């Protein structure tokens, strides 16, 4: 009791972060649901999935309804139950973005295999790419895109997925946008992730950050190279890792 810090906003990735073990997910949900009722804690999911793919996931997982959904690696923000992305966020992403041109440039790389149509979004172009050629392909792709004046972020996750997004359209920038909208301090905010597309969650602000124990090498490496006392690498996996981090930061007893 006493000395606990108010948890005003919890932002978590879904696949292999919040979702991965049903028993620990249930345990964490009980706490978050109570915090939401007693303290007004807001819960946000930040996923690489499209909203459609997210809706598929919630049919098989016991997830609390979020206060907002950050989808498509940050390029879409859905507040509460809204079916359309937040227009203020969308209007920020259209600058220097030419989807057709990006697809045309990427098609010159035989190693880039297009992801399914459902994951191709207005501000997200996604491929599969073998880890063995990432170091060769990504710098060349970046170079060709910037020669065309396209200011994009290329994000590689889980040794498989390559996303091209408008610069400033990632999960981390979306979090800053929501904190600003809701006027929530970074000290009362927690971000949680496991893979490359979560690095931006840890990169911009001073939110408390939890890297789950099962994190992928790209996020682990980033975490090792950027040590700060407001980030924590958990021992436990998935939701149990989030709970461990919440205790470490004294949000939970
Ligand atoms: C999710 C998305 C996929 C994306 C990946 C990494 O799996 O469905 O399109 O490439 O996250 O961001
Ligand atoms: Mg993940």
């Amino acid at each position: 009791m006493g000395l606990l810090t108010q948890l005003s906003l919890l932002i978590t990735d879904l696949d292999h972060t919040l979702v991965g073990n049903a028993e620990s997910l249930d345990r964490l949900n009980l706490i978050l649901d109570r915090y939401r009722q007693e303290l007004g804690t807001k819960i946000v999911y930040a996923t690489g999935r499209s909203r459609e793919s997210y809706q598929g996931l919630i049919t098989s997982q016991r997830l609390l309804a979020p206060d907002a959904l950050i989808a498509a690696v940050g390029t879409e923000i859905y507040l509460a139950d809204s079916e359309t992305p937040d227009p203020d966020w969308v209007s920020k992403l259209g600058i220097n973005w030419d989807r057709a041109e990006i697809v045309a440039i990427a098609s010159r790389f035989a190693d880039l295999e297009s992801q399914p149509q459902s994951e191709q979004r207005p501000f997200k172009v996604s491929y599969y790419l073998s880890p063995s050629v990432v170091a060769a392909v990504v710098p060349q792709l970046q170079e060709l895109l910037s020669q065309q004046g396209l200011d994009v972020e290329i994000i590689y996750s889980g040794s498989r997925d390559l996303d091209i997004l408008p610069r400033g359209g990632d999960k981390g920038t979306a979090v800053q946008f929501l904190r600003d909208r809701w006027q929530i301090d970074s000290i009362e905010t927690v971000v949680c992730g496991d893979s490359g597309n979560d690095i931006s969650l840890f990169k911009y602000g001073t939110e408390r950050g939890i890297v789950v124990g099962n994190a992928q090498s790209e996020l682990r490496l980033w975490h090792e190279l950027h040590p700060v006392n407001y980030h924590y690498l958990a021992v436990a996996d998935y939701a149990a890792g989030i709970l461990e981090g919440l205790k470490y930061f004294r949000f939970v007893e």
Side-chain angles (χ1 to χ4, degrees), residues 13 15 17 194-195 198:
D13 169 54
D15 296 273
T17 302
D194 79 296
S195 85
D198 300 315

Side-chain angles (χ1 to χ4, degrees), residues 63-135:
L63 293 175
L64 300 174
D67 295 278
L69 173 71
I70 297 172
V73 198
T75 61
E76 296 168 26
I77 300 176
Y78 298 88
L79 289 167
D81 296 327
S82 173
E83 286 175 15
T84 47
D86 185 88
D88 293 341
W89 182 242
V90 169
S91 68
K92 287 184 196 293
L93 303 182
I95 308 152
N96 275 337
W97 177 255
D98 181 341
R99 198 177 196 290
E101 181 69 18
I102 291 166
V103 172
I105 291 171
S107 72
R108 298 195 218 157
F109 292 82
D111 292 312
L112 290 173
E113 182 196 339
S114 196
Q115 287 190 15
Q117 206 48 46
S118 65
E119 298 311 288
Q120 307 298 346
R121 305 294 304 159
F123 296 106
K124 167 176 172 285
V125 186
S126 295
Y127 298 90
Y128 298 123
L129 182 67
S130 159
S132 60
V133 293
V134 170

Side-chain angles (χ1 to χ4, degrees), residues 13-18 46-48 171 193-198 216:
D13 169 54
L14 291 172
D15 296 273
H16 311 295
T17 302
L18 183 64
T47 180
K171 291 185 183 185
D194 79 296
S195 85
N197 74 9
D198 300 315
Q216 298 279 339

Side-chain angles (χ1 to χ4, degrees), residues 48-50 73 115 119 124 126 157 160-163 197:
R49 291 174 181 251
S50 60
V73 198
Q115 287 190 15
E119 298 311 288
K124 167 176 172 285
S126 295
S157 307
R160 190 188 76 155
D161 300 314
L162 183 131
D163 303 308
N197 74 9

Side-chain angles (χ1 to χ4, degrees), residues 176-222:
Q176 304 305 319
F177 176 86
L178 283 178
R179 276 209 306 106
D180 200 45
R181 168 83 57 101
W182 290 333
Q183 294 288 295
I184 296 177
D185 204 283
S186 60
I187 290 170
E188 299 180 355
T189 301
V190 176
V191 297
C192 317
D194 79 296
S195 85
N197 74 9
D198 300 315
I199 290 174
S200 67
L201 290 174
F202 298 85
K203 205 159 72 175
Y204 302 128
T206 52
E207 293 80 13
R208 280 39 190 149
I210 302 170
V211 178
V212 289
N214 56 289
Q216 298 279 339
S217 55
E218 65 268 358
L219 176 58
R220 275 175 181 279
L221 185 63
W222 187 90

Side-chain angles (χ1 to χ4, degrees), residues 14-29 61-62 214 237-241:
L14 291 172
D15 296 273
H16 311 295
T17 302
L18 183 64
V19 175
N21 177 277
E23 181 271 328
S24 56
L25 174 58
D26 286 347
R27 244 177 333 122
L28 179 61
N29 277 345
Q61 299 291 330
R62 285 191 291 272
N214 56 289
D237 296 346
Y238 312 116

